[in-house]
Amino acid sequence: MAILYNMSLGFLVHYCIGGIIIHIPYIILLSLVISFLNIFDGIATHFGLLHNKIEELNPIMDFLWVSSHALFLTVKMMLSLSISYLSYLVYRLSGTRFQKLYTICLSGILILYLAIFSIHLYWLIVL
């Protein structure tokens, strides 16, 4: 299986065995990865807060945590669903220029979430 990115079309192309070609829009792929990392962030943060390993630095999420642990996790899940749905709408309804701008924004968000993911892995393994 080969994975290619076609920059002009905005697709990540998977060539599968048997000649079947699957096109995954890059916007959708980015949003799914960000959603996964956001859910992991919520679960890891929940674990760390329950076991007093970490502190929540985001004041909004800290307020939600103090209010209700279930509310904290629900908001994280809803954010993941929202980013995926919004990305789908951008893919289906927006012009190419806005899609490119949106993809750049998603790429920046992905970099931030990869940093958060790395921090979570560090304290999960070391602490």
Side-chain angles (χ1 to χ4, degrees):
M1 171 170 54
I3 300 175
L4 302 172
Y5 178 65
N6 185 329
M7 184 75 92
S8 63
L9 297 176
F11 286 103
L12 186 70
V13 180
H14 293 243
Y15 289 95
C16 298
I17 297 174
I20 299 172
I21 300 173
I22 301 172
H23 298 280
I24 302 172
Y26 197 59
I27 289 175
I28 302 300
L29 181 66
L30 277 174
S31 71
L32 291 175
V33 171
I34 291 167
S35 294
F36 170 77
L37 290 171
N38 183 48
I39 291 169
F40 175 82
D41 173 43
I43 293 169
T45 301
H46 184 268
F47 176 82
L49 291 171
L50 277 179
H51 297 291
N52 295 317
K53 300 276 187 188
I54 61 169
E55 294 179 22
E56 178 58 64
L57 298 178
N58 180 337
I60 296 169
M61 295 310 288
D62 186 50
F63 171 78
L64 292 173
W65 174 259
V66 171
S67 300
S68 167
H69 299 181
L71 180 61
F72 173 85
L73 289 173
T74 301
V75 168
K76 290 300 273 186
M77 294 296 257
M78 294 306 294
L79 286 171
S80 292
L81 290 173
S82 297
I83 192 82
S84 296
Y85 183 66
L86 179 64
S87 296
Y88 175 76
L89 291 178
V90 168
Y91 168 68
R92 296 296 290 167
L93 304 175
S94 297
T96 304
R97 290 182 67 195
F98 184 74
Q99 286 181 3
K100 287 181 181 181
L101 175 63
Y102 188 78
T103 301
I104 291 168
C105 292
L106 283 180
S107 298
I109 293 169
L110 178 62
I111 291 168
L112 289 173
Y113 266 105
L114 287 173
I116 293 168
F117 179 76
S118 300
I119 292 167
H120 282 311
L121 283 182
Y122 169 76
W123 69 257
L124 281 169
I125 293 170
V126 175
L127 300 179

